[in-house]
Amino acid sequence: QEKKIFVVQGPYPIIRSLLWSRGWVEKKLPRASRQLEQHPGTQEKQLQEEEDGEGDDDAEQGEASHLVRDQVPYFIWTNHCGAINYRQLQQDQVVNHYAGVRAFTTKEGLCLNLRNLPWCNQADPDTFFPRCYRLGSADERQAFIEDFRLTAARSLLKVALERAEDAPAGTEQPPKRGEGPGESHVSHPMSPTAGQHPPLTPQLVEKALQLCRKHLGSLEHQDIDRDTLSPHMTGTDWDRFLRDYYSVVHEGAVPVLSGAQREQSQALLQHMAGQLPQLDMEGHHNIWILKPGAKSCGRGEAGGKQGQGLPAGKRSHCHCVPPGITCTAQLEEVLRLAGGCTAPSAWVVQKYVERPLLIFSTKFDIRQWFLVTNWNPLTVWFYRESYLRFCSRPFSLCHLDPARHLCNVSIQKRYQSARGRHPQLPPDQIWSCWQLQAYLAQVGQAGGRRHLYGADFVFGEDCQPWLLEINASPTMAPSSAVTRRLCARVQRDTLRVVLDHRDDPTCPTGAFELIYKD
């Protein structure tokens, strides 16, 4: 009569325990539609430690569940949207997913919708979302090719300036062969050893200057047609330019530039910084990350096929994770990998943040929860606690292995931590947001900003946050001491907002804070 009947599908024992403690009765799903639960009993134990006395006897719950087997559930919690038929839902049923969320919870959907953001909002996605292209679209595929080429031209000017200043401290040089076991080396297949090239002529820098001037002209005069950016560069010309660029960036060849070219390069890059918000974070290695467009946690269809069909020498320029994520520094490899997929529309390529904020020379990203309780009016709740996910090896742009660059827990659990790892880095690769704040205060950066809600994001060197992706069903499995505590709390507080606050607007909502109501 009180409509306190619920259904849970997936590994959410804490949600079950919390609803039982509120007097709700579970309607059991048929075995065929249940999902094997991970970490059995662990989350119930956590909840009992935090909330004394919560939870009911399993036998009593089983008897009550039998009585409601033919009743309509009024609270539905599932781990994926496809398990729900939204057309058959009643108005008073509560579900933990909205229809149509793939528009921003898949990489492909987020890429498309943020590109269209300026049509409905004054926000510029280039200021918080690394530029991204859907390779299944012919127009976007061509736009990516143009972007890669122009980024290479900018990068060559950056490298030329750095090398002209005798490689200042912090400039990373390509490794020599045999530097370490199991490492992925960025070396060009056309040259056996780095550093054996004769100096490149000033014409290469001059060509890069011309390309950058044309690009800057198009940015400042939007009426210039995109096709006129490089009217004198044929495909063969671009191939030759990129080969020279690769030899400079990946092998250590030294581009020669005159004093005038040095001044022109400095002035041009400074001018472009005002037009390109991502100029600083893009670095000069021109690394891009190829991702399955509709998968999460690093899962993808191309897992077992990385490197297939590529010449042996080419494989050193990218590093594929078994689930399908690929870091690469060569245009040809992006196109070859994506072109070899059975469903190329499922792939997106995104500019890699080459200058992230590091902690003890190690990359991390941040998982931040948020809760949308209504779309009309749009109502968003921000969770005051978050956590960091570290890589297991030191960051390096000369090694593109996933242990250094991809912070997903599902990926990092495959690797052992590097020898000589800083003792303050967590052995389980997880920090709380409070540990981050303490570290930033310790190094004099207590003002680190958090502007993105409910997503995975990474900080740039200047603490600028860059959105990576948004997850529809973030994992609640306790993979560390930090997540064991936080995941239990966020589930508890979620029910406080969606159930208790609905009936009593004055009730506590835990760590959730209402940040936006349209």
Side-chain angles (χ1 to χ4, degrees):
Q1 291 180 347
E2 296 181 4
K3 297 184 178 181
K4 288 189 173 183
I5 302 170
F6 73 93
V7 166
V8 171
Q9 181 189 41
Y12 300 101
I14 285 182
I15 294 294
R16 286 190 172 92
S17 297
L18 288 167
L19 290 171
W20 289 343
S21 70
R22 285 170 163 78
W24 287 67
V25 177
E26 181 176 8
K27 177 182 178 179
K28 295 288 186 180
L29 290 171
R31 286 194 175 273
S33 61
R34 295 183 195 175
Q35 185 179 43
L36 181 64
E37 295 188 3
Q38 302 171 354
H39 309 282
T42 305
Q43 293 194 50
E44 289 97 327
K45 183 178 179 181
Q46 301 159 18
L47 188 66
Q48 289 173 3
E49 292 175 352
E50 293 197 4
E51 309 234 3
D52 296 336
E54 287 197 4
D56 288 61
D57 183 76
D58 289 341
E60 294 180 5
Q61 288 298 325
E63 182 179 350
S65 179
H66 179 75
L67 295 176
V68 300
R69 65 184 184 276
D70 296 324
Q71 301 297 314
V72 173
Y74 290 91
F75 184 92
I76 303 171
W77 188 285
T78 178
N79 54 4
H80 60 92
C81 307
I84 303 167
N85 187 335
Y86 291 92
R87 294 182 178 180
Q88 295 182 357
L89 289 176
Q90 299 180 14
Q91 188 173 1
D92 52 356
Q93 286 181 289
V94 177
V95 183
N96 71 318
H97 289 291
Y98 287 103
V101 295
R102 290 172 61 87
F104 66 91
T105 60
T106 63
K107 298 174 183 68
E108 188 177 13
L110 189 63
C111 175
L112 175 62
N113 282 284
L114 285 183
R115 183 177 297 109
N116 294 330
L117 179 63
W119 292 101
C120 57
N121 193 290
Q122 293 183 351
D124 180 4
D126 282 346
T127 62
F128 62 85
F129 184 64
R131 53 195 188 274
C132 184
Y133 301 92
R134 300 173 301 150
L135 294 178
S137 164
D139 289 343
E140 292 192 33
R141 187 184 183 97
Q142 185 57 41
F144 160 66
I145 293 173
E146 181 181 287
D147 193 337
F148 187 99
R149 290 168 170 173
L150 293 173
T151 302
R154 293 194 297 273
S155 298
L156 193 140
L157 296 183
K158 296 177 188 177
V159 176
L161 288 173
E162 286 190 359
R163 302 259 170 93
E165 296 172 1
D166 297 324
T171 300
E172 194 171 19
Q173 297 298 323
K176 295 181 176 60
R177 289 194 180 276
E179 185 173 357
E183 302 293 0
S184 171
H185 302 295
V186 180
S187 59
H188 200 281
M190 297 182 64
S191 176
T193 308
Q196 293 185 352
H197 292 274
L200 299 177
T201 63
Q203 280 75 17
L204 178 62
V205 174
E206 189 61 37
K207 176 59 68 175
L209 281 168
Q210 293 174 4
L211 293 169
C212 288
R213 290 192 192 102
K214 290 179 179 292
H215 186 205
L216 182 60
S218 72
L219 293 172
E220 294 181 333
H221 306 92
Q222 297 299 324
D223 57 331
I224 297 180
D225 191 283
R226 291 175 64 89
D227 294 335
T228 65
L229 290 179
S230 313
H232 305 299
M233 291 286 284
T234 66
T236 302
D237 293 334
W238 273 117
D239 291 343
R240 185 181 301 112
F241 177 82
L242 289 180
R243 281 198 301 269
D244 289 340
Y245 165 73
Y246 295 149
S247 69
V248 171
V249 174
H250 304 318
E251 299 174 56
V254 180
V256 177
L257 74 165
S258 65
Q261 287 178 330
R262 180 184 303 189
E263 294 179 0
Q264 293 170 17
S265 297
Q266 291 172 336
L268 187 56
L269 288 172
Q270 184 175 4
H271 198 170
M272 296 187 82
Q275 299 290 332
L276 298 172
Q278 299 183 16
L279 183 67
D280 186 57
M281 72 80 168
E282 70 183 19
H284 60 240
H285 282 68
N286 207 2
I287 297 172
W288 294 73
I289 183 165
L290 182 67
K291 307 176 182 180
K295 297 289 181 179
S296 62
C297 300
R299 292 188 288 271
E301 295 91 339
K305 300 183 180 179
Q306 72 264 22
Q308 292 186 10
L310 298 181
K314 289 283 189 178
R315 293 179 189 171
S316 63
H317 287 278
C318 72
H319 209 298
C320 304
V321 183
I325 299 178
T326 304
C327 288
T328 178
Q330 282 200 343
L331 172 63
E332 300 81 4
E333 297 196 0
V334 174
L335 301 179
R336 192 176 288 118
L337 287 169
C341 301
T342 56
S345 62
W347 293 86
V348 299
V349 63
Q350 187 170 36
K351 185 66 190 74
Y352 185 72
V353 179
E354 296 185 23
R355 300 183 63 184
L357 179 67
L358 303 177
I359 295 180
F360 304 122
S361 301
T362 304
K363 182 183 175 182
F364 67 94
D365 70 12
I366 295 182
R367 166 63 58 86
Q368 179 69 64
W369 289 295
F370 74 106
L371 181 64
V372 177
T373 56
N374 204 330
W375 284 105
N376 188 22
L378 180 60
T379 307
V380 183
W381 299 74
F382 169 77
Y383 205 68
R384 288 192 293 269
E385 294 192 62
S386 58
Y387 65 92
L388 281 66
R389 307 180 299 185
F390 284 91
C391 286
S392 54
R393 295 184 184 178
F395 181 78
S396 170
L397 294 178
C398 292
H399 305 284
L400 299 184
D401 48 305
R404 303 177 191 272
H405 296 279
L406 305 178
C407 303
N408 309 58
V409 173
S410 60
I411 291 174
Q412 289 301 322
K413 68 182 181 182
R414 303 172 188 153
Y415 302 96
Q416 293 183 345
S417 297
R419 293 180 181 179
R421 182 177 168 90
H422 195 284
Q424 291 189 41
L425 287 171
D428 57 13
Q429 321 296 4
I430 303 293
W431 259 11
S432 71
C433 60
W434 312 120
Q435 288 171 292
L436 171 63
Q437 290 184 11
Y439 170 81
L440 293 176
Q442 179 182 347
V443 298
Q445 294 187 8
R449 295 169 286 170
R450 293 186 300 178
H451 289 185
L452 301 175
Y453 307 115
D456 293 341
F457 61 97
V458 65
F459 283 139
E461 286 180 337
D462 58 354
C463 288
Q464 163 72 26
W466 294 97
L467 174 64
L468 301 180
E469 63 182 7
I470 298 175
N471 297 274
S473 295
T475 179
M476 291 297 165
S479 59
S480 67
V482 171
T483 55
R484 184 174 296 112
R485 173 181 60 84
L486 279 181
C487 289
R489 288 186 178 180
V490 75
Q491 291 175 82
R492 175 198 64 189
D493 294 344
T494 296
L495 293 186
R496 285 176 169 175
V497 173
V498 301
L499 294 179
D500 303 344
H501 187 266
R502 178 184 61 177
D503 299 328
D504 178 12
T506 64
C507 76
T509 56
F512 272 114
E513 176 184 354
L514 181 64
I515 61 165
Y516 185 85
K517 189 168 184 178
D518 204 359

